[in-house]
Amino acid sequence: FIIVTVFLWGRGLFCGWACPFGSLSELLYKVGGWVGLKRFQFKVPKPLHDKLKWIKYGIFFGLLAVSMFSMGLAEKLAEVEPFKTTFLVGLFNRSWPYTLFAAGLLGLSIFTERPFCKYLCPLGAGLAMPSTFRWFGLKRKQECDTCKACAVGCGSSAIDKDGRIDQRECLLCLDCMVYYYEDHACPPLAQERKRRTKAGLPLTPIGANGYYIPIKPMPAAK
Ligand code: SF4
Ligand code: SF4
């Protein structure tokens, strides 16, 4: 299932919608905002993010290399995935280094969105690589090249300065797709809404391409 969906929608379907640790991290970040910690929440600056994101690939290939020599050691090192500690054995049923590691990651998730998924998860890295070839991409407009609105809101920092979405980093939260069709948020749409309102023109529905459906000229009266 995961292999098929990675080639269809990228890692985002699993990482964004099915992974229990990713979901827990996301929930903690949201709860942090709800309970008044919003002012302490931060996004890792993009230049630093662009460096840190490679760590997970290093871990992935490191584990792969070790597994060729010693499966036992690879299994131990695979504990970099805190799934076992968090969900199978329980945070307080393990020795303190494991508990500290998992609790530290979950604690950090309150303040920045999904740090483990973005920077450390070898499974995420393994799914990210084939995501390059995913069949269905998210929509973009011509104006996205210069507009930074979606990039600012992307919690995964997956949108680059030219408005392109990095398929390997996108966790398919769909926030940018909400913007895409929102005529109060997406600048080209907002401009067109204002223009039409000022000119007394009707606001037609927004089409699949993210623009207002063109106004059809009225047939001339005979
Ligand atoms: S807000 Fe609109 S134009 Fe700007 S990046 Fe998003 S979809 Fe593109
Ligand atoms: S905002 Fe868009 S590009 Fe960023 S993670 Fe969500 S779906 Fe992917």
Side-chain angles (χ1 to χ4, degrees):
F1 171 78
I2 296 175
I3 292 173
V4 172
T5 60
V6 159
F7 282 102
L8 289 176
W9 293 284
R11 72 179 277 210
L13 196 81
F14 177 77
C15 293
W17 296 85
C19 172
F21 194 82
S23 306
L24 181 59
S25 307
E26 182 77 35
L27 180 67
L28 286 168
Y29 184 75
K30 290 216 176 338
V31 170
W34 295 332
V35 299
L37 296 174
K38 214 170 190 65
R39 63 184 186 283
F40 300 114
Q41 290 182 327
F42 63 94
K43 197 169 167 184
V44 174
K46 185 83 167 109
L48 182 58
H49 164 87
D50 285 340
K51 290 192 176 82
L52 295 179
K53 71 183 181 187
W54 297 107
I55 297 175
K56 61 181 177 291
Y57 297 104
I59 296 174
F60 174 84
F61 284 112
L63 284 174
L64 196 66
V66 171
S67 70
M68 287 173 189
F69 301 102
S70 164
M71 272 314 281
L73 180 59
E75 260 175 47
K76 275 207 179 79
L77 294 176
E79 290 268 6
V80 70
E81 296 274 11
F83 303 166
K84 185 173 162 188
T85 305
T86 311
F87 300 109
L88 298 178
V89 184
L91 267 184
F92 301 105
N93 298 327
R94 300 211 73 187
S95 53
W96 69 266
Y98 295 102
T99 306
L100 189 68
F101 179 61
L105 287 171
L106 292 172
L108 188 60
S109 303
I110 297 172
F111 300 101
T112 189
E113 223 170 321
R114 304 184 62 165
F116 179 75
C117 310
K118 288 192 277 193
Y119 306 125
L120 296 178
C121 182
L123 177 59
L127 297 176
M129 286 178 276
S131 299
T132 310
F133 310 105
R134 79 180 192 182
W135 192 259
F136 299 110
L138 294 174
K139 295 183 176 181
R140 300 273 78 198
K141 293 174 187 159
Q142 216 181 349
E143 292 86 347
C144 299
D145 297 0
T146 48
C147 173
K148 302 278 182 286
C150 282
V152 172
C154 174
S156 304
S157 300
I159 306 178
D160 72 13
K161 62 177 175 35
D162 297 321
R164 284 177 306 227
I165 294 177
D166 182 345
Q167 320 279 2
R168 293 171 295 272
E169 299 303 316
C170 170
L171 297 180
L172 218 56
C173 70
L174 302 181
D175 283 355
C176 59
M177 288 296 96
V178 174
Y179 257 65
Y180 194 84
Y181 294 105
E182 175 47 69
D183 64 1
H184 284 77
C186 176
L189 267 182
Q191 267 168 24
E192 177 64 2
R193 177 179 54 78
K194 284 183 195 152
R195 188 190 72 79
R196 287 193 185 191
T197 309
K198 210 169 161 186
L201 296 169
L203 295 178
T204 49
I206 293 163
N209 62 0
Y211 294 102
Y212 282 108
I213 292 172
I215 301 166
K216 281 205 184 102
M218 296 288 283
K222 289 189 182 164

